[in-house]
Amino acid sequence: MGTTNLRNRILVFVTLFTVTALFCLRPANAQALAETAGATSVSGGTTAAVAKTLNFLPSKSETASTASQHLQASAGPPPQVVNRRALEEHAGHDASKLLIRSTPPSSQVWIDDKFVGNTPMLLVLAPGKYRVSFRGSRMETGEQSVDLLPRETRELALSLSAHYPTKVTFR
């Protein structure tokens, strides 16, 4: 009678523990917790053989948020296209043109901290003041402010300087 009473108490404990876990935790964690509790309940040298596999279907919100731990690639255009298009759409009827070149060529161009593409490029911008930053493929950088007047066409050519020394000498 003592062994049956002990098993009933363990079974009630495991059941209550599992129900509590179901209400307090996500289904995946609750299942692992219930299996662990059922598999490791030991009292008086007997092991409760209650470890059953519980199958839970994840909720819709859970599958959407945890479907992949990797970043999802966007289906839209790349950021430089979006940024450039936004600048050109706000140019208005008094738009200015800015021809941008750099040495070395194919440097990244950032207008007010937004990537817009690689040199050489022609941008159509609204009149105003802009901070143009350049980043080369070998850590060269450059920056210049440009103040565009209405309907002005301006060329901006900049030689980038190395951020780090390119030659090292030993003595």
Side-chain angles (χ1 to χ4, degrees), residues 17-87:
F17 187 75
T18 304
V19 169
T20 303
L22 288 174
F23 287 111
C24 296
L25 301 172
R26 293 183 3 201
N29 292 344
Q31 179 179 351
L33 194 60
E35 288 175 357
T36 303
T40 59
S41 296
V42 178
S43 178
T46 61
T47 304
V50 185
K52 295 181 180 178
T53 303
L54 303 174
N55 294 322
F56 295 100
L57 295 175
S59 65
K60 289 181 183 177
S61 63
E62 206 172 287
T63 55
S65 64
T66 61
S68 174
Q69 295 178 358
H70 301 286
L71 294 174
Q72 298 294 324
S74 65
Q80 66 266 25
V81 173
V82 174
N83 293 337
R84 187 173 178 172
R85 191 178 298 155
L87 286 170

Side-chain angles (χ1 to χ4, degrees), residues 9-151:
R9 292 174 86 188
I10 291 173
L11 186 60
V12 168
F13 171 76
V14 169
T15 304
L16 288 174
F17 187 75
T18 304
V19 169
T20 303
L22 288 174
F23 287 111
C24 296
L25 301 172
R26 293 183 3 201
N29 292 344
Q31 179 179 351
L33 194 60
E35 288 175 357
T36 303
T40 59
S41 296
V42 178
S43 178
T46 61
T47 304
V50 185
K52 295 181 180 178
T53 303
L54 303 174
N55 294 322
F56 295 100
L57 295 175
S59 65
K60 289 181 183 177
S61 63
E62 206 172 287
T63 55
S65 64
T66 61
S68 174
Q69 295 178 358
H70 301 286
L71 294 174
Q72 298 294 324
S74 65
Q80 66 266 25
V81 173
V82 174
N83 293 337
R84 187 173 178 172
R85 191 178 298 155
L87 286 170
E88 290 177 350
E89 285 176 357
H90 292 96
H93 65 279
D94 287 337
S96 302
K97 294 180 182 177
L98 183 62
L99 177 61
I100 302 173
R101 296 183 183 170
S102 69
T103 304
S106 297
S107 300
Q108 294 181 343
V109 178
W110 300 71
I111 305 284
D112 294 335
D113 296 324
K114 294 181 182 177
F115 179 54
V116 293
N118 295 335
T119 60
M121 70 182 330
L122 177 66
L123 285 174
V124 178
L125 300 169
K129 190 168 187 173
Y130 298 95
R131 185 170 47 96
V132 183
S133 304
F134 297 87
R135 296 180 191 167
S137 61
R138 294 189 177 173
M139 302 299 287
E140 304 98 348
T141 60
E143 185 172 305
Q144 189 167 343
S145 292
V146 176
D147 194 7
L148 297 173
L149 298 173
R151 298 183 184 169

